[in-house]
Amino acid sequence: PALGLFLFTIARDPLRIIILIAGAFFWLVSLLLSSLIWFIAVKASDPQDEPLQKGLLIFGVMFSVLLQEAFRFLYYKLLRKAIEGLVALSEDGCSPISIQQMAYVAGVGFGLMSGAFSMINLLADALGPGTVGIHGDSQLYFLTSAFMTMVLIFLHTFWGILFFHGCEHRRWWEIMAVVVMHLAVSGSTFCNPLYMGSLVPSYLLMAAAATWAYLLSGGSAQNLRRFLLCK
């Protein structure tokens, strides 16, 4: 699905490709910074203290989420300046791409880079050593991880639309809703290996975020009906 989003909605437009790559870069920088802080915290703590290590892991996840959203805000500010520059350079005084389209492409960029890193970690675990489920654990680790990666890619796409809309119209509660949803999805992964405890809430939030983003983008039930009926 993520590859389909890229091929059918982004790949044919050079400007959208640039925005997508820049969005992926912003997400990557946020990950590197949060990883560095978590690494320093772990090295400075007692590795034998399991409650402390678990607390640091939770702190690392929550801090990473907040840093990702901070970089999303910085990317919005950068794209807003870019639109002003494009308008100044255009002959008709109009930007070749709207802020809504930028929000979508930036969200896909965040999601694709997030999914790429998730898959890299998954493939690294698949190389071994060991066999998943050999000690009685769930053998659905790889399958559920793939579904979780997919939902995160879509969520980042929808969060990008919601976040940019909130920034554009100064609706700070929309921005906070994105942050809260991101924290909730990331926090639900601590339910693993009870995978239903993370997958079900994540997909419900994805459905809610998709509906919200669709409505904010100007969609309606009538338009959706026409699309499904190919009218």
Side-chain angles (χ1 to χ4, degrees), residues 2-209:
L3 182 60
L5 289 178
F6 173 75
L7 292 177
F8 292 110
T9 64
I10 297 174
R12 298 179 182 179
D13 190 329
L15 182 57
R16 294 186 183 187
I17 293 177
I18 293 173
I19 295 172
L20 178 130
I21 294 174
F25 174 76
F26 268 72
W27 185 91
L28 180 60
V29 172
S30 71
L31 177 67
L32 291 175
L33 289 178
S34 58
S35 299
L36 177 62
I37 293 174
W38 178 78
F39 178 78
I40 294 174
V42 169
K43 288 299 181 182
S45 62
D46 182 9
Q48 304 300 325
D49 191 342
E50 292 187 5
L52 176 60
Q53 294 301 314
K54 184 176 181 179
L56 288 176
L57 179 60
I58 296 174
F59 162 77
V61 171
M62 299 298 108
F63 181 78
S64 177
V65 168
L66 295 176
L67 199 59
Q68 287 177 47
E69 297 306 328
F71 270 80
R72 199 192 302 271
F73 179 74
L74 291 176
Y75 192 39
Y76 162 78
K77 287 292 188 181
L78 178 64
L79 290 178
R80 208 68 192 82
K81 292 293 184 181
I83 287 181
E84 296 174 4
L86 291 172
V87 169
L89 292 174
S90 65
E91 296 179 355
D92 56 359
C94 298
S95 172
I97 185 170
S98 66
I99 190 66
Q100 291 88 354
Q101 291 172 332
M102 283 187 170
Y104 164 74
V105 177
V108 174
F110 268 61
L112 287 179
M113 184 56 71
S114 171
F117 265 79
S118 297
M119 291 305 298
I120 288 173
N121 292 332
L122 189 63
L123 293 175
D125 289 337
L127 293 176
T131 302
V132 174
I134 195 171
H135 293 299
D137 296 325
S138 173
Q139 297 184 2
L140 300 177
Y141 170 70
F142 294 115
L143 182 62
T144 53
S145 296
F147 276 104
M148 197 66 187
T149 298
M150 182 177 68
V151 75
L152 281 173
I153 293 174
F154 281 123
L155 278 171
H156 272 292
T157 303
F158 302 140
W159 288 337
I161 297 172
L162 299 175
F163 194 97
F164 278 41
H165 185 272
C167 292
E168 191 71 10
H169 296 85
R170 298 186 179 278
R171 296 180 180 177
W172 305 116
W173 60 272
E174 291 182 354
I175 299 174
M176 288 304 302
V178 171
V179 175
V180 170
M181 283 191 287
H182 199 165
L183 288 170
V185 171
S186 298
S188 69
T189 59
F190 290 110
C191 295
N192 295 337
L194 182 60
Y195 296 116
M196 295 300 291
S198 59
L199 283 176
V200 173
S202 297
Y203 273 84
L204 290 176
L205 282 175
M206 184 192 72

